[in-house]
Amino acid sequence: MTAAPSLSARTGRSAYRSVDPATGELVAEVPTATDAEVEDALTAAETGFRAWRARPIRERAAVAARVGELFAERADELAAIATQEMGKPLSEAREEAQFCAEIFAYFAEHGPDLAADQPLPTPHGTGRAVLQRRPVGVLLGIMPWNYPYYQVARFAAPNLVLGNTVLLKHAESCPRSALALQRLLDDAGVPAGVYRTLFATHAQIEDVIADPRVQGVSLTGSERAGAAVGALAGRHLKKAVLELGGSDPYVVLDTDDVVASARAALATRLGNTGQACNSNKRMIVSADIFEEFVAELTRAAAALVPGDPSVEAPDTYAPMASRAAAEALAAQLREAVEAGATLHTGGTLAEGPGAYLAPAVLTGVTPETAAHHQELFGPVAVVYRADDDDAALALANDTPYGLGGAVFSTDPERARRLAEQLECGMANVNAAEAEGAGMPFGGVKRSGYGRELGPLGMDEFVNKRLLYIND
């Protein structure tokens, strides 16, 4: 493959770079914005907000519905871009685009009712009181590379329906996905200035957060990035939503079929090549089935071979999003083994520039091991042994994160009792997750704060205004 010409070489500016993680080859570059371009985007977003909020909410919802239709129509095109840009298996990339269609359709249909005025009882029964939900203005979204469409959709869809305007800073490694999204929203009839992609530097983003025209910021990313953005937002008195790391427990109390349960756990863990915030990064398995569970995990993981993510083939695994990410995860695994953990299979890096890391199974991780407290963001299954339900619960909650969690048992009530005590934002019984446009997403502790999707997704960046009329 011949690398695309470097725009940054012509402009002298740094660039957002699209690199195929399967080959390590440069596909495209987009230069970072000038300060004048950032100012133009801010001005357009503020101007666009005044016109956009004035339109009836059902008109805004109709535009969102068209966005959803285009996501469905362009699912194959969008999938091909994401697969080449960050290594996502083609079938999963297609499903991601289709899920975005569902998200926009959900808020197009339900948004007007979710944002409707809510009558309130008044003091002493006098007058009339209404709780109104009104847009707040220009919002900044800072989005990651692991779900280049879905992360944007769950932030942008409810806020566009509400009447807010969006400035979107995508990951530096996903410029083609960002441009494809911009084209899609433009083609759907989103007015100029209402949704604008910013190829901004970190320094420029700091200025955008500080700008008085911006009323809020939403970030999905690492714990470190969240801490930095949260501090900036707080300093400038801006509302923030932060969806950060996770180390979700996946508790298997008992099962009628250990082999099937282990294979289901591995399939969940390898979704998006393990690069999902709410993936089952810690499998906590009852002692009486632990050895068989680990043995089957090991057999299944060891049977996988590297594959081309653009070719849908069984028994293969895709590259991670970058060689640097794969190398960092391999280093974490080495450190865990040096600290006494057992690596049953995988963890090896493929030779060459590709970002392939063989799926790994790790046991013997103790609280004294760094890996016990870290997020292993990639194809690694860490398995813990639990002697009873109390021990399983203690392990599940022994983490600085609190995004999601799942508990499995042939006795749903037993699983529910344990799930009720999980310290997380999304607890599931006999399911890895409850995925859907109407299901709120978010966590507690160091996994961040705020919620996206569902009814709560309409309630973050909104002025909940009281209107009282004294009759």
Side-chain angles (χ1 to χ4, degrees), residues 98-135:
Q98 292 166 342
F99 189 23
C100 293
E102 296 173 17
I103 291 170
F104 273 92
Y106 171 87
F107 285 107
E109 178 182 357
H110 299 287
D113 290 336
L114 292 173
D117 292 350
Q118 177 184 343
L120 298 174
T122 58
H124 312 296
T126 60
R128 290 172 290 156
V130 176
L131 178 64
Q132 301 175 315
R133 288 175 170 81
R134 297 292 185 263

Side-chain angles (χ1 to χ4, degrees), residues 387-433:
D387 291 331
D388 53 35
D389 291 12
D390 289 340
L393 178 63
L395 278 168
N397 287 335
D398 186 19
T399 173
Y401 299 105
L403 193 53
V407 185
F408 293 81
S409 173
T410 56
D411 180 354
E413 180 58 25
R414 178 188 179 192
R416 185 197 65 78
R417 286 196 299 270
L418 197 151
E420 289 275 11
Q421 301 175 75
L422 292 179
E423 298 168 357
C424 63
M426 301 172 288
N428 305 280
V429 172
N430 288 337
E433 60 181 353

Side-chain angles (χ1 to χ4, degrees), residues 257-301:
D257 190 334
V258 177
V259 169
S261 293
R263 287 183 172 269
L266 184 65
T268 299
R269 184 66 188 99
L270 296 185
N272 208 40
T273 317
Q275 300 164 122
C277 296
N278 62 325
S279 184
N280 54 333
K281 299 185 179 77
R282 295 179 301 130
M283 301 177 191
I284 300 166
V285 181
S286 291
D288 57 344
I289 60 173
F290 177 84
E291 298 296 341
E292 185 180 357
F293 190 96
V294 170
E296 183 55 34
L297 272 181
T298 303
R299 280 194 295 269

Side-chain angles (χ1 to χ4, degrees), residues 229-252:
V229 168
L232 278 168
R235 185 185 311 159
H236 298 288
L237 301 179
K238 307 291 176 71
K239 171 69 181 289
V241 168
L242 303 177
E243 195 273 279
L244 310 177
S247 190
D248 290 10
Y250 184 98
V251 182
V252 183

Side-chain angles (χ1 to χ4, degrees), residues 145 275 320-332 349 355 357 377-379:
W145 47 261
Q275 300 164 122
M320 294 181 63
S322 70
R323 180 75 183 187
E327 291 174 351
L329 183 58
Q332 286 180 292
L349 277 168
L357 184 136
F377 205 66

Side-chain angles (χ1 to χ4, degrees), residues 48-386:
F49 169 63
R50 304 192 185 286
W52 184 238
R53 72 174 176 182
R55 293 176 64 170
I57 190 170
R58 295 197 180 275
E59 286 188 15
R60 300 194 296 264
V63 175
R66 181 56 184 154
V67 173
E69 291 169 358
L70 288 184
F71 263 111
E73 292 173 14
R74 299 181 185 180
D76 288 340
E77 172 193 340
L78 295 169
I81 294 171
T83 294
Q84 188 178 45
E85 194 153 60
M86 56 77 58
K88 189 186 298 288
L90 187 63
S91 60
E92 294 184 25
R94 187 182 301 112
E95 290 169 1
E96 179 181 343
Q98 292 166 342
F99 189 23
C100 293
E102 296 173 17
I103 291 170
F104 273 92
Y106 171 87
F107 285 107
E109 178 182 357
H110 299 287
D113 290 336
L114 292 173
D117 292 350
Q118 177 184 343
L120 298 174
T122 58
H124 312 296
T126 60
R128 290 172 290 156
V130 176
L131 178 64
Q132 301 175 315
R133 288 175 170 81
R134 297 292 185 263
V136 294
V138 181
L139 304 177
L140 171 65
I142 304 173
M143 297 297 139
W145 47 261
N146 59 334
Y147 290 93
Y149 307 127
Y150 160 64
Q151 306 280 12
V152 176
R154 70 188 195 186
F155 162 63
N159 284 301
L160 292 176
V161 172
L162 277 167
N164 294 317
T165 55
V166 171
L167 295 173
L168 203 292
K169 189 259 183 228
H170 222 310
E172 287 88 344
S173 60
C174 293
R176 295 176 63 220
S177 297
L179 290 170
L181 280 177
Q182 185 70 64
R183 285 193 300 271
L184 189 152
L185 271 77
D186 290 344
D187 292 346
V190 175
V194 173
Y195 177 95
R196 180 82 166 260
T197 302
L198 270 184
F199 294 109
T201 66
H202 291 182
Q204 288 170 330
I205 287 300
E206 290 184 16
D207 292 339
V208 171
I209 294 173
D211 194 288
R213 290 168 290 188
V214 173
Q215 301 304 312
V217 56
S218 178
L219 175 136
T220 297
S222 68
E223 180 184 354
R224 185 174 69 174
V229 168
L232 278 168
R235 185 185 311 159
H236 298 288
L237 301 179
K238 307 291 176 71
K239 171 69 181 289
V241 168
L242 303 177
E243 195 273 279
L244 310 177
S247 190
D248 290 10
Y250 184 98
V251 182
V252 183
L253 298 176
D254 61 78
T255 176
D256 289 332
D257 190 334
V258 177
V259 169
S261 293
R263 287 183 172 269
L266 184 65
T268 299
R269 184 66 188 99
L270 296 185
N272 208 40
T273 317
Q275 300 164 122
C277 296
N278 62 325
S279 184
N280 54 333
K281 299 185 179 77
R282 295 179 301 130
M283 301 177 191
I284 300 166
V285 181
S286 291
D288 57 344
I289 60 173
F290 177 84
E291 298 296 341
E292 185 180 357
F293 190 96
V294 170
E296 183 55 34
L297 272 181
T298 303
R299 280 194 295 269
L304 301 174
V305 297
D308 182 344
S310 67
V311 177
E312 299 178 48
D315 302 322
T316 61
Y317 62 90
M320 294 181 63
S322 70
R323 180 75 183 187
E327 291 174 351
L329 183 58
Q332 286 180 292
L333 285 169
R334 287 195 300 272
E335 291 170 5
V337 171
E338 290 168 0
T342 299
L343 181 64
H344 296 261
T345 188
T348 55
L349 277 168
E351 295 182 1
Y356 288 92
L357 184 136
V361 177
L362 192 68
T363 62
V365 174
T366 66
E368 293 72 38
T369 308
H372 182 79
H373 306 284
Q374 296 171 337
E375 179 182 26
L376 300 182
F377 205 66
V380 178
V382 181
V383 195
Y384 293 83
R385 182 197 306 264

